[in-house]
Amino acid sequence: MSGKADPRPAGKGTTSRTRLDRGRGALGPALELVHTGRAPTRAVLTAELGVTRATAGAVAAELEALGLIRVDARPGAAAGSQGRPSHRLSVAEDGPVALAAQVHSDGFRAALVGLGGRIVATAPGCEVIDADPAKVLGSVVAAGAELLRETGRRCVGAGLAVPSAVAEPEGLALNPLHLAWPAGAPVREIFAGQVRAAGLDGPAFAANDVNLAALAEHRHGAGRGSRDLLCVATGHRGVGGALVLDGLLHSGSSGLALEVGHLAVNPDGRPCHCGGRGCLDVEADPLALLTAAGRAPGPEMSLLKQADDLIRGQYGEPDVRIAAESLIDRLGLGLAGLVNILNPDRIILGGLHRTLLEADPNRLRAVVADRSLWGRSGGVPILACTLDHNSLVGAAELAWQPVLDDPLGALA
Ligand SMILES: [Zn+2]
């Protein structure tokens, strides 16, 4: 209960009005609890919201009427259990979806993503990214619109993930280094224009791909329950980072925080496109692994897939192992610096870094512990990202956010 005085005059109707307001205010938090899997039953929802059973029941019924969740009033009781089982809550499998789009150096992908981070349909496309962002974003939106037509789903909005820092509040892709796009391209505006031109409903958003991966993992994957979550990942090229604090992305004063790709981890290392030398971006990405292992990258598949396949398939070969270990050591050095500065309670790794962690978890953990003050004392858990296409799921989270904030208002 709020300690503030209610400014409304007491009188007839006030009590029912107050109950209605309170119920509406609980719709968003209730939806988020079901969306993130933290309220699998009505009993848990009641406890988490801190409301009466009747209010929780009304809130769940309203969300079901909006087509967002499913309330199973007759869940099968476990054998031998006592009493009546609580109603089970789940996201509606046939409910609305968000259109998610991702552009990376080797192509793009469109997807429809429902509540719960569930990918309903996906369409990959094109191997060569055009230098004109409007062409690429037009193609990816067209692919998403086709998926919407095929499935007949309602669209709540659209989100785009790009391999670049995205400056706020304008939504400019500042450094799309591995795409041929001009620096500072107004990607959010272009994307929103393509979404409108395709006749799709809802707002349109754009953000950095690793930021979105971190958001998705925090809500649905390896970051669940973490308070200070650090995510570091390679894309198909380069390295990115993100921080989720108390459930919110920490994006800095203008969207550009956690540009971890340009942490120097090897003073004598390769020159980096940022003007520096030995940055994580060029010392610990898929191309760095292939080069260190003496493998010429082929044109037939993405660099990330080639690097992943090399570690998974040939880790026993000395040249591959030595190359992987040098990347692990440099990544560990970068992570240790971040641990000292940020004091995260969990680190999750994606892309090639996930594969490196899985290949030799003890080596990476030892380097981080050895090089960081807090890592040595407490040991920061380092885990692999668990979601497929986490940047796409995160892009959908952007589009879902207005619905999570106010389900009635957003869907009315
Ligand atoms: Zn750099």
Side-chain angles (χ1 to χ4, degrees):
M1 284 284 274
S2 160
K4 287 181 191 161
D6 188 334
R8 284 171 301 215
K12 200 174 171 209
T14 304
T15 308
S16 61
R17 164 69 53 193
T18 307
R19 193 173 291 148
L20 195 71
D21 286 349
R22 200 179 294 143
R24 176 160 181 175
L27 283 177
L31 183 59
E32 183 164 340
L33 286 165
V34 179
H35 172 57
T36 53
R38 285 177 293 152
T41 65
R42 207 173 70 181
V44 176
L45 182 70
T46 305
E48 287 286 329
L49 290 175
V51 298
T52 63
R53 235 179 84 175
T55 300
V59 164
E62 182 71 46
L63 292 174
E64 187 174 39
L66 287 168
L68 295 170
I69 72 167
R70 195 167 160 266
V71 181
D72 183 359
R74 298 165 167 271
S81 70
Q82 300 284 313
R84 199 155 56 94
S86 178
H87 295 196
R88 289 207 72 79
L89 307 178
S90 55
V91 298
E93 297 213 345
D94 54 357
V97 292
L99 192 167
Q102 181 177 12
V103 177
H104 51 74
S105 58
D106 295 309
F108 67 73
R109 186 178 287 269
L112 306 183
V113 185
L115 283 169
R118 293 184 188 188
I119 296 180
V120 170
T122 170
C126 98
E127 293 299 305
V128 179
I129 288 294
D130 195 275
D132 178 1
K135 259 191 196 166
V136 182
L137 298 181
S139 301
V140 71
V141 169
E146 181 59 30
L147 293 176
L148 283 166
R149 265 192 298 280
E150 285 167 9
T151 58
R153 298 289 189 110
R154 177 177 181 186
C155 180
V156 297
L160 168 69
V162 289
S164 164
V166 176
E168 298 297 346
E170 304 89 349
L172 312 177
L174 279 198
N175 57 344
L177 293 168
H178 304 294
L179 307 175
W181 292 1
V187 287
R188 186 194 299 132
E189 195 185 308
I190 296 170
F191 182 61
Q194 299 288 358
V195 168
R196 276 194 306 275
L200 302 178
D201 292 333
F205 304 87
N208 168 263
D209 52 6
V210 177
N211 275 355
L212 294 176
L215 186 63
E217 292 285 344
H218 185 269
R219 291 186 177 175
H220 308 293
R224 282 176 66 174
S226 165
R227 268 195 50 190
D228 295 82
L229 178 68
L230 172 65
C231 174
V232 173
T234 71
H236 292 229
R237 291 288 306 276
V239 172
L243 188 64
V244 182
L245 299 177
D246 285 325
L248 296 175
L249 268 174
H250 172 76
S251 52
S253 59
S254 56
L256 306 178
L258 277 292
E259 196 59 40
V260 306
H262 301 287
L263 268 178
V265 291
N266 181 11
D268 304 318
R270 296 159 230 249
C272 180
H273 30 76
C274 73
R277 187 173 276 280
C279 299
L280 266 184
D281 220 51
V282 288
E283 297 285 338
D285 87 333
L287 184 60
L289 177 82
L290 294 169
T291 308
R295 304 298 204 272
E300 67 284 356
M301 59 173 105
S302 81
L303 292 172
L304 177 58
K305 177 94 170 57
Q306 292 177 56
D308 268 350
D309 286 354
L310 188 63
I311 293 182
R312 294 211 166 101
Q314 299 175 50
Y315 199 67
E317 294 184 18
D319 54 347
V320 174
R321 194 179 187 110
I322 289 165
E325 286 177 353
S326 81
L327 256 77
I328 289 171
D329 292 351
R330 284 174 191 152
L331 172 63
L333 203 56
L335 291 179
L338 292 166
V339 165
N340 285 336
I341 295 166
L342 300 171
N343 187 209
D345 66 354
R346 193 180 307 171
I347 299 172
I348 56 172
L349 301 179
L352 178 64
H353 295 168
R354 165 187 173 166
T355 314
L356 289 169
L357 173 69
E358 287 166 350
D360 196 342
N362 293 334
R363 187 180 184 99
L364 182 64
R365 289 183 180 126
V367 176
V368 176
D370 192 45
R371 297 291 195 130
S372 60
L373 291 165
W374 322 133
R376 234 183 348 255
S377 59
V380 188
I382 304 177
L383 308 175
C385 286
T386 55
L387 300 177
D388 291 330
H389 303 302
N390 52 16
S391 294
L392 272 174
V393 173
E397 291 295 325
L398 294 181
W400 274 112
Q401 196 58 52
V403 180
L404 293 168
D405 290 341
D406 180 9
L408 262 180
L411 295 178

